[in-house]
Coordinates of all heavy atoms in Angstrom, one line a residue:
H1 N 4.7 -4.1 -1.3 CA 4.8 -3.9 0.2 C 6.2 -3.6 0.5 O 7.1 -4.4 0.3 CB 4.3 -5.2 0.9 CG 4.3 -5.1 2.4 ND1 3.2 -5.5 3.1 CD2 5.1 -4.5 3.3 CE1 3.4 -5.3 4.4 NE2 4.6 -4.7 4.5
F2 N 6.5 -2.4 0.9 CA 7.8 -2.0 1.4 C 7.8 -2.2 2.9 O 7.0 -1.5 3.6 CB 8.1 -0.6 1.1 CG 8.5 -0.4 -0.4 CD1 7.5 0.0 -1.3 CD2 9.8 -0.6 -0.8 CE1 7.9 0.2 -2.6 CE2 10.1 -0.4 -2.1 CZ 9.2 0.0 -3.0
H3 N 8.6 -3.1 3.5 CA 8.6 -3.4 4.9 C 9.9 -3.2 5.6 O 10.9 -3.9 5.2 CB 8.1 -4.8 5.1 CG 7.8 -5.2 6.5 ND1 8.7 -6.1 7.2 CD2 6.9 -4.8 7.4 CE1 8.2 -6.2 8.4 NE2 7.1 -5.5 8.5
L4 N 10.0 -2.2 6.4 CA 11.2 -1.9 7.2 C 12.4 -1.7 6.3 O 13.5 -2.1 6.6 CB 11.5 -3.0 8.2 CG 10.3 -3.3 9.2 CD1 10.7 -4.5 10.1 CD2 10.0 -2.1 10.0
C5 N 12.2 -0.9 5.2 CA 13.3 -0.7 4.2 C 14.2 0.5 4.6 O 15.2 0.7 4.0 CB 12.8 -0.5 2.8 SG 12.0 -2.0 2.2
G6 N 13.7 1.4 5.5 CA 14.4 2.6 5.9 C 14.4 3.6 4.8 O 13.4 3.8 4.1
N7 N 15.5 4.4 4.7 CA 15.6 5.5 3.8 C 16.0 5.0 2.4 O 17.0 4.4 2.2 CB 16.7 6.5 4.3 CG 16.8 7.7 3.5 OD1 16.5 7.7 2.3 ND2 17.1 8.8 4.1
M8 N 15.1 5.2 1.4 CA 15.3 4.7 0.1 C 15.7 5.8 -0.9 O 15.5 5.7 -2.1 CB 14.0 4.0 -0.4 CG 13.5 2.8 0.4 SD 14.6 1.4 0.3 CE 14.2 0.8 -1.3
T9 N 16.3 6.8 -0.4 CA 16.6 8.0 -1.2 C 17.4 7.7 -2.5 O 17.1 8.1 -3.5 CB 17.5 9.0 -0.4 OG1 16.8 9.4 0.8 CG2 17.8 10.3 -1.2
N10 N 18.4 6.9 -2.4 CA 19.2 6.6 -3.5 C 18.9 5.3 -4.2 O 19.7 4.7 -5.0 CB 20.7 6.5 -3.1 CG 21.1 7.9 -2.6 OD1 20.8 8.9 -3.2 ND2 21.9 7.9 -1.5
K11 N 17.6 4.8 -4.0 CA 17.2 3.5 -4.6 C 15.9 3.8 -5.4 O 15.2 4.7 -5.2 CB 17.0 2.5 -3.6 CG 18.3 2.2 -2.8 CD 18.0 1.3 -1.6 CE 19.2 1.0 -0.8 NZ 19.7 2.2 -0.1
L12 N 15.6 2.9 -6.3 CA 14.4 3.0 -7.1 C 13.3 2.3 -6.3 O 13.2 1.1 -6.2 CB 14.5 2.3 -8.5 CG 13.3 2.4 -9.4 CD1 12.9 3.8 -9.7 CD2 13.5 1.6 -10.6
A13 N 12.5 3.1 -5.6 CA 11.4 2.6 -4.7 C 10.1 3.1 -5.2 O 9.6 4.1 -4.8 CB 11.7 3.1 -3.3
V14 N 9.5 2.3 -6.1 CA 8.3 2.8 -6.8 C 7.3 1.6 -6.9 O 7.7 0.5 -7.3 CB 8.6 3.3 -8.3 CG1 7.4 3.7 -9.0 CG2 9.6 4.4 -8.2
L15 N 6.0 1.9 -6.6 CA 4.9 1.0 -6.9 C 4.1 1.7 -7.9 O 3.4 2.7 -7.6 CB 4.1 0.7 -5.6 CG 4.8 0.0 -4.5 CD1 4.0 -0.1 -3.2 CD2 5.2 -1.4 -4.9
K16 N 4.2 1.4 -9.2 CA 3.5 2.1 -10.2 C 2.8 1.2 -11.3 O 3.4 0.2 -11.7 CB 4.5 3.0 -10.9 CG 3.9 3.9 -12.0 CD 4.9 4.9 -12.6 CE 4.2 5.7 -13.7 NZ 5.1 6.8 -14.2
G17 N 1.6 1.6 -11.7 CA 0.9 0.9 -12.7 C 0.5 -0.5 -12.3 O 0.3 -1.4 -13.2
L18 N 0.2 -0.7 -11.0 CA -0.2 -2.1 -10.6 C -1.8 -2.1 -10.5 O -2.4 -1.1 -10.3 CB 0.3 -2.3 -9.2 CG 1.9 -2.3 -9.1 CD1 2.3 -2.4 -7.6 CD2 2.5 -3.4 -9.9
F19 N -2.3 -3.4 -10.7 CA -3.7 -3.6 -10.5 C -3.8 -4.7 -9.4 O -3.3 -5.8 -9.6 CB -4.4 -4.1 -11.7 CG -5.8 -4.4 -11.6 CD1 -6.7 -3.4 -11.2 CD2 -6.3 -5.7 -11.8 CE1 -8.1 -3.7 -11.0 CE2 -7.6 -6.0 -11.6 CZ -8.5 -5.0 -11.2
V20 N -4.4 -4.3 -8.3 CA -4.6 -5.3 -7.2 C -6.1 -5.5 -7.0 O -6.9 -4.6 -6.9 CB -4.0 -4.7 -5.8 CG1 -4.2 -5.7 -4.7 CG2 -2.6 -4.4 -6.0
K21 N -6.5 -6.8 -7.0 CA -7.9 -7.1 -7.0 C -8.2 -8.2 -5.9 O -7.4 -9.2 -5.8 CB -8.4 -7.6 -8.3 CG -9.9 -8.0 -8.4 CD -10.3 -8.4 -9.7 CE -11.8 -8.8 -9.7 NZ -12.1 -9.7 -10.8
D22 N -9.2 -8.1 -5.1 CA -9.7 -9.1 -4.2 C -8.6 -9.4 -3.1 O -8.4 -10.6 -2.9 CB -10.1 -10.4 -4.9 CG -11.3 -10.1 -5.9 OD1 -12.1 -9.2 -5.6 OD2 -11.4 -10.8 -6.9
S23 N -8.0 -8.4 -2.6 CA -7.0 -8.7 -1.5 C -7.7 -8.8 -0.2 O -8.6 -8.1 0.2 CB -6.1 -7.5 -1.4 OG -5.2 -7.6 -0.3
S24 N -7.3 -9.8 0.6 CA -8.0 -10.1 1.9 C -7.3 -9.3 3.1 O -7.7 -9.4 4.2 CB -8.0 -11.6 2.2 OG -6.6 -12.1 2.3
N25 N -6.2 -8.6 2.8 CA -5.5 -7.8 3.8 C -4.7 -6.7 3.2 O -3.5 -6.8 3.0 CB -4.6 -8.7 4.6 CG -4.0 -8.0 5.8 OD1 -4.4 -6.9 6.1 ND2 -3.2 -8.7 6.5
K26 N -5.3 -5.6 3.0 CA -4.8 -4.3 2.5 C -4.3 -4.5 1.0 O -4.2 -5.6 0.5 CB -3.6 -3.8 3.4 CG -4.1 -3.6 4.8 CD -2.9 -3.2 5.7 CE -3.2 -3.2 7.1 NZ -3.3 -4.5 7.7
G27 N -4.1 -3.3 0.4 CA -3.7 -3.3 -1.0 C -2.2 -3.1 -1.1 O -1.5 -4.0 -1.4
L28 N -1.8 -1.8 -1.0 CA -0.4 -1.4 -1.1 C 0.1 -0.9 0.2 O -0.6 0.0 0.8 CB -0.2 -0.4 -2.2 CG -0.6 -0.8 -3.6 CD1 -0.5 0.3 -4.6 CD2 0.1 -2.0 -4.1
V29 N 1.2 -1.3 0.7 CA 1.7 -1.0 2.1 C 3.1 -0.4 2.1 O 4.0 -0.9 1.4 CB 1.7 -2.2 3.0 CG1 2.2 -1.8 4.4 CG2 0.3 -2.8 3.1
V30 N 3.2 0.7 2.8 CA 4.6 1.3 3.0 C 4.8 1.4 4.5 O 4.1 2.1 5.2 CB 4.7 2.7 2.4 CG1 6.0 3.3 2.7 CG2 4.4 2.7 0.9
H31 N 5.7 0.6 5.1 CA 5.9 0.5 6.5 C 7.3 0.8 6.9 O 8.2 0.1 6.4 CB 5.5 -1.0 6.9 CG 5.8 -1.3 8.3 ND1 5.9 -2.6 8.8 CD2 5.8 -0.5 9.4 CE1 6.1 -2.5 10.1 NE2 6.1 -1.3 10.5
S32 N 7.5 1.8 7.6 CA 8.8 2.2 8.1 C 9.8 2.3 6.9 O 10.9 1.8 7.0 CB 9.4 1.3 9.1 OG 8.7 1.5 10.3
T33 N 9.4 3.0 5.9 CA 10.2 3.2 4.7 C 10.0 4.6 4.2 O 8.8 5.1 4.1 CB 9.8 2.2 3.6 OG1 10.0 0.9 4.1 CG2 10.7 2.3 2.4
G34 N 11.0 5.3 3.8 CA 10.9 6.7 3.3 C 11.4 6.8 1.8 O 12.1 6.0 1.3
Y35 N 10.9 7.8 1.2 CA 11.2 8.2 -0.2 C 10.7 7.1 -1.2 O 11.4 6.7 -2.1 CB 12.7 8.4 -0.4 CG 13.2 9.5 0.5 CD1 13.6 9.3 1.8 CD2 13.2 10.8 0.0 CE1 14.1 10.4 2.6 CE2 13.6 11.9 0.8 CZ 14.1 11.7 2.1 OH 14.5 12.7 2.8
V36 N 9.4 6.7 -1.0 CA 8.8 5.8 -1.9 C 7.7 6.5 -2.7 O 7.1 7.4 -2.2 CB 8.1 4.6 -1.1 CG1 7.2 3.8 -2.0 CG2 9.1 3.8 -0.3
T37 N 7.6 6.1 -4.0 CA 6.5 6.7 -4.8 C 5.5 5.6 -5.1 O 5.8 4.5 -5.5 CB 7.1 7.2 -6.2 OG1 8.1 8.2 -5.9 CG2 6.0 7.7 -7.1
V38 N 4.2 5.9 -4.8 CA 3.1 5.0 -5.1 C 2.2 5.8 -6.0 O 1.5 6.8 -5.6 CB 2.3 4.7 -3.8 CG1 1.2 3.8 -4.1 CG2 3.3 4.0 -2.8
E39 N 2.1 5.5 -7.3 CA 1.3 6.2 -8.2 C 0.8 5.4 -9.4 O 1.3 4.4 -9.7 CB 2.2 7.4 -8.8 CG 3.3 7.0 -9.7 CD 4.1 8.2 -10.3 OE1 3.7 9.3 -10.0 OE2 5.0 7.9 -11.0
D40 N -0.3 5.9 -9.9 CA -1.0 5.3 -11.1 C -1.4 3.8 -10.9 O -1.2 3.0 -11.8 CB -0.1 5.4 -12.3 CG 0.2 6.9 -12.7 OD1 -0.7 7.7 -12.4 OD2 1.2 7.2 -13.3
N41 N -1.9 3.5 -9.7 CA -2.3 2.1 -9.4 C -3.8 2.1 -9.3 O -4.5 3.1 -9.0 CB -1.7 1.7 -8.1 CG -0.2 1.7 -8.1 OD1 0.4 0.9 -8.9 ND2 0.5 2.6 -7.3
A42 N -4.4 0.9 -9.5 CA -5.8 0.7 -9.4 C -6.0 -0.5 -8.4 O -5.3 -1.5 -8.6 CB -6.4 0.4 -10.7
L43 N -6.9 -0.3 -7.4 CA -7.2 -1.3 -6.5 C -8.7 -1.6 -6.4 O -9.4 -0.6 -6.3 CB -6.6 -0.9 -5.1 CG -5.1 -0.8 -5.1 CD1 -4.7 0.7 -5.3 CD2 -4.5 -1.3 -3.8
L44 N -9.1 -2.8 -6.4 CA -10.5 -3.2 -6.4 C -10.8 -4.3 -5.4 O -10.1 -5.3 -5.4 CB -10.9 -3.6 -7.8 CG -12.4 -4.1 -8.0 CD1 -13.4 -3.0 -7.7 CD2 -12.5 -4.7 -9.4
N45 N -11.8 -4.1 -4.6 CA -12.2 -5.1 -3.6 C -11.1 -5.4 -2.6 O -10.6 -6.5 -2.6 CB -12.7 -6.4 -4.3 CG -13.9 -6.1 -5.2 OD1 -14.7 -5.2 -5.0 ND2 -14.0 -7.0 -6.2
I46 N -10.8 -4.5 -1.8 CA -9.7 -4.6 -0.9 C -10.1 -4.6 0.6 O -10.9 -3.7 0.9 CB -8.7 -3.4 -1.1 CG1 -8.3 -3.3 -2.6 CG2 -7.5 -3.6 -0.2 CD1 -7.5 -4.5 -3.1
A47 N -9.7 -5.5 1.4 CA -10.0 -5.5 2.8 C -9.1 -4.5 3.6 O -7.9 -4.4 3.3 CB -9.9 -6.9 3.4
M48 N -9.7 -3.8 4.5 CA -9.0 -3.0 5.5 C -8.6 -1.6 5.0 O -9.0 -0.6 5.5 CB -7.8 -3.7 6.1 CG -8.1 -5.1 6.6 SD -9.3 -5.1 7.9 CE -8.2 -4.7 9.3
A49 N -7.7 -1.5 3.9 CA -7.2 -0.3 3.4 C -6.6 -0.4 2.0 O -6.0 -1.4 1.8 CB -6.1 0.3 4.3
G50 N -6.9 0.5 1.2 CA -6.3 0.5 -0.2 C -4.8 0.7 -0.2 O -4.0 -0.1 -0.6
V51 N -4.5 1.9 0.2 CA -3.1 2.3 0.4 C -2.8 2.6 1.8 O -3.5 3.5 2.4 CB -2.7 3.6 -0.5 CG1 -1.3 4.0 -0.3 CG2 -3.0 3.3 -2.0
F52 N -1.9 1.8 2.5 CA -1.8 1.9 3.9 C -0.3 2.3 4.3 O 0.6 1.7 3.8 CB -2.0 0.4 4.4 CG -2.0 0.3 5.9 CD1 -3.0 0.8 6.7 CD2 -0.9 -0.3 6.5 CE1 -3.0 0.7 8.1 CE2 -0.9 -0.4 7.9 CZ -1.9 0.1 8.7
L53 N -0.2 3.3 5.1 CA 1.1 3.8 5.6 C 1.1 3.4 7.1 O 0.3 3.8 7.9 CB 1.2 5.3 5.5 CG 1.1 5.8 4.0 CD1 1.2 7.4 4.1 CD2 2.3 5.3 3.2
E54 N 2.1 2.7 7.4 CA 2.3 2.2 8.8 C 3.6 2.8 9.3 O 4.7 2.3 9.1 CB 2.3 0.7 8.9 CG 2.4 0.2 10.3 CD 2.3 -1.3 10.3 OE1 2.2 -2.0 9.3 OE2 2.4 -1.9 11.4
A55 N 3.5 3.9 10.0 CA 4.7 4.6 10.5 C 5.0 4.1 11.9 O 4.3 4.3 12.9 CB 4.5 6.1 10.6
A56 N 6.1 3.4 12.0 CA 6.6 2.9 13.3 C 7.6 3.9 13.9 O 8.0 3.8 15.1 CB 7.1 1.5 13.2
D57 N 8.2 4.7 13.1 CA 9.2 5.6 13.5 C 9.3 6.8 12.6 O 8.5 7.0 11.7 CB 10.6 4.9 13.6 CG 10.9 4.1 12.3 OD1 10.6 4.6 11.3 OD2 11.4 3.0 12.4
S58 N 10.3 7.6 12.7 CA 10.4 8.8 11.9 C 11.1 8.6 10.5 O 11.4 9.5 9.8 CB 11.3 9.9 12.6 OG 12.6 9.4 12.9
V59 N 11.3 7.3 10.1 CA 11.9 7.0 8.8 C 10.9 7.3 7.7 O 11.3 7.6 6.6 CB 12.3 5.5 8.8 CG1 12.7 5.1 7.4 CG2 13.4 5.2 9.8
E60 N 9.6 7.2 7.9 CA 8.6 7.3 6.9 C 8.4 8.7 6.5 O 7.4 9.4 6.9 CB 7.3 6.6 7.4 CG 6.5 6.0 6.2 CD 5.5 5.1 6.8 OE1 5.8 3.9 6.9 OE2 4.4 5.5 7.0
V61 N 9.2 9.3 5.7 CA 9.1 10.7 5.2 C 9.3 10.8 3.7 O 9.8 9.9 3.1 CB 10.2 11.6 5.9 CG1 10.0 11.6 7.4 CG2 11.6 11.1 5.5
E62 N 8.8 11.9 3.2 CA 9.0 12.2 1.7 C 8.4 11.1 0.8 O 8.9 10.9 -0.3 CB 10.4 12.4 1.4 CG 11.0 13.6 2.1 CD 10.4 14.9 1.8 OE1 9.9 15.1 0.6 OE2 10.4 15.8 2.6
N63 N 7.4 10.4 1.3 CA 6.7 9.4 0.4 C 5.7 10.2 -0.5 O 5.1 11.1 0.0 CB 5.9 8.4 1.2 CG 6.9 7.4 1.9 OD1 7.9 7.0 1.4 ND2 6.6 7.1 3.1
I64 N 5.6 9.8 -1.8 CA 4.7 10.5 -2.7 C 3.6 9.4 -3.1 O 3.9 8.4 -3.6 CB 5.4 10.9 -4.0 CG1 6.5 11.9 -3.6 CG2 4.4 11.5 -5.0 CD1 7.4 12.3 -4.7
I65 N 2.4 9.8 -2.8 CA 1.2 9.0 -3.2 C 0.3 9.8 -4.0 O -0.3 10.8 -3.5 CB 0.5 8.5 -1.9 CG1 1.5 7.7 -1.0 CG2 -0.7 7.6 -2.2 CD1 1.0 7.3 0.3
T66 N 0.2 9.4 -5.3 CA -0.6 10.3 -6.2 C -1.2 9.4 -7.3 O -0.7 8.4 -7.7 CB 0.4 11.3 -6.8 OG1 -0.4 12.2 -7.7 CG2 1.5 10.7 -7.7
R67 N -2.4 9.9 -7.8 CA -3.1 9.3 -8.9 C -3.4 7.8 -8.8 O -3.2 7.1 -9.7 CB -2.4 9.6 -10.2 CG -2.3 11.1 -10.6 CD -1.7 11.4 -12.0 NE -0.6 10.6 -12.3 CZ 0.7 11.0 -12.3 NH1 1.0 12.2 -11.9 NH2 1.7 10.2 -12.7
N68 N -3.9 7.4 -7.6 CA -4.3 6.0 -7.4 C -5.8 6.0 -7.3 O -6.4 6.9 -6.8 CB -3.6 5.5 -6.1 CG -2.1 5.5 -6.2 OD1 -1.5 4.7 -6.8 ND2 -1.5 6.4 -5.5
L69 N -6.4 4.9 -7.8 CA -7.8 4.7 -7.7 C -8.1 3.5 -6.8 O -7.6 2.4 -7.1 CB -8.4 4.4 -9.1 CG -9.9 4.1 -9.2 CD1 -10.7 5.2 -8.7 CD2 -10.2 3.6 -10.6
V70 N -8.9 3.7 -5.8 CA -9.2 2.6 -4.9 C -10.7 2.5 -4.8 O -11.4 3.5 -4.5 CB -8.7 2.9 -3.4 CG1 -9.1 1.7 -2.5 CG2 -7.2 3.1 -3.5
V71 N -11.3 1.3 -5.2 CA -12.7 1.1 -5.2 C -13.1 -0.1 -4.3 O -12.5 -1.2 -4.4 CB -13.2 0.8 -6.7 CG1 -14.7 0.6 -6.7 CG2 -12.8 2.0 -7.6
N72 N -14.1 0.1 -3.5 CA -14.7 -0.9 -2.6 C -13.7 -1.5 -1.6 O -13.3 -2.6 -1.7 CB -15.3 -2.1 -3.5 CG -16.2 -3.0 -2.6 OD1 -16.8 -2.5 -1.7 ND2 -16.3 -4.2 -3.0
V73 N -13.5 -0.7 -0.6 CA -12.7 -1.1 0.6 C -13.7 -1.6 1.6 O -14.7 -0.9 1.9 CB -11.9 0.0 1.1 CG1 -11.1 -0.4 2.4 CG2 -10.9 0.5 0.1
F74 N -13.5 -2.7 2.3 CA -14.4 -3.3 3.3 C -13.7 -3.9 4.4 O -12.5 -4.0 4.4 CB -15.3 -4.4 2.6 CG -14.5 -5.4 1.9 CD1 -14.0 -6.5 2.5 CD2 -14.2 -5.2 0.5 CE1 -13.2 -7.4 1.9 CE2 -13.4 -6.2 -0.2 CZ -12.9 -7.2 0.5
G75 N -14.4 -4.2 5.5 CA -13.8 -4.8 6.7 C -13.4 -6.3 6.4 O -13.9 -6.9 5.5
E76 N -12.6 -6.8 7.3 CA -12.0 -8.1 7.1 C -13.1 -9.2 7.3 O -12.9 -10.4 6.9 CB -10.9 -8.4 8.0 CG -11.3 -8.3 9.5 CD -10.1 -8.5 10.4 OE1 -9.1 -9.2 10.0 OE2 -10.0 -7.8 11.5
E77 N -14.3 -8.9 7.8 CA -15.3 -9.9 8.0 C -15.8 -10.5 6.8 O -16.3 -11.6 6.8 CB -16.5 -9.3 8.8 CG -17.3 -8.3 8.0 CD -16.7 -6.9 8.0 OE1 -15.7 -6.6 8.7 OE2 -17.3 -6.1 7.3
R78 N -15.6 -9.9 5.6 CA -16.0 -10.5 4.3 C -15.3 -11.8 4.1 O -15.8 -12.7 3.4 CB -15.8 -9.5 3.2 CG -16.1 -10.0 1.9 CD -16.0 -9.0 0.8 NE -16.1 -9.6 -0.5 CZ -15.9 -9.0 -1.6 NH1 -15.6 -7.7 -1.6 NH2 -15.9 -9.6 -2.8
F79 N -14.1 -11.9 4.6 CA -13.3 -13.1 4.3 C -13.3 -14.1 5.5 O -12.6 -15.1 5.5 CB -11.8 -12.7 4.0 CG -11.7 -12.2 2.6 CD1 -11.6 -10.8 2.4 CD2 -11.6 -13.0 1.5 CE1 -11.5 -10.2 1.2 CE2 -11.5 -12.4 0.2 CZ -11.4 -11.1 0.1
A80 N -14.1 -13.8 6.5 CA -14.2 -14.7 7.7 C -14.8 -16.0 7.3 O -15.7 -16.1 6.4 CB -15.0 -14.0 8.7
I81 N -14.3 -17.1 7.9 CA -14.8 -18.4 7.7 C -16.0 -18.7 8.6 O -15.9 -18.5 9.8 CB -13.7 -19.5 7.9 CG1 -12.5 -19.3 7.0 CG2 -14.3 -20.9 7.8 CD1 -11.3 -20.1 7.3
P82 N -17.2 -19.0 8.1 CA -18.3 -19.2 8.9 C -18.1 -20.4 9.9 O -17.4 -21.3 9.6 CB -19.4 -19.6 7.9 CG -18.9 -19.3 6.6 CD -17.4 -19.3 6.7
A83 N -18.7 -20.2 11.1 CA -18.5 -21.2 12.2 C -19.4 -22.4 11.9 O -20.4 -22.3 11.3 CB -18.9 -20.6 13.5

């Protein structure tokens, strides 16, 4: 999760080769961060979104998202606690 990191041009900003399983709130997130690479990841049983971009401003540019596999994305109700 990259959160409000701004411009990452001269930094190593990579999410690569990860396996995320059974997440109750999104898989991989890039939020207000630019020049990030998200590649070669596998995500299984993820609530809400597999790869999520949350652009709050114009900072989120030149991100590369490639060769990711996302299987079984569902709504958050799956993790709701019964009344």
Side-chain angles (χ1 to χ4, degrees):
H1 185 136
F2 285 95
H3 189 250
L4 304 175
C5 297
N7 185 329
M8 301 291 285
T9 303
N10 297 318
K11 299 170 181 71
L12 182 61
V14 178
L15 296 172
K16 182 175 182 174
L18 302 174
F19 177 63
V20 180
K21 181 181 177 197
D22 299 330
S23 173
S24 61
N25 188 6
K26 301 178 192 74
L28 302 174
V29 178
V30 178
H31 176 203
S32 289
T33 304
Y35 299 89
V36 172
T37 299
V38 179
E39 69 180 356
D40 299 332
N41 298 295
L43 297 95
L44 175 65
N45 301 332
I46 307 296
M48 311 296 280
V51 178
F52 184 75
L53 300 174
E54 185 178 358
D57 48 39
S58 60
V59 173
E60 210 163 273
V61 297
E62 300 296 329
N63 291 319
I64 299 170
I65 300 171
T66 184
R67 296 189 315 261
N68 297 287
L69 174 66
V70 181
V71 178
N72 193 28
V73 175
F74 50 86
E76 63 184 325
E77 68 279 352
R78 177 174 169 187
F79 287 99
I81 298 172

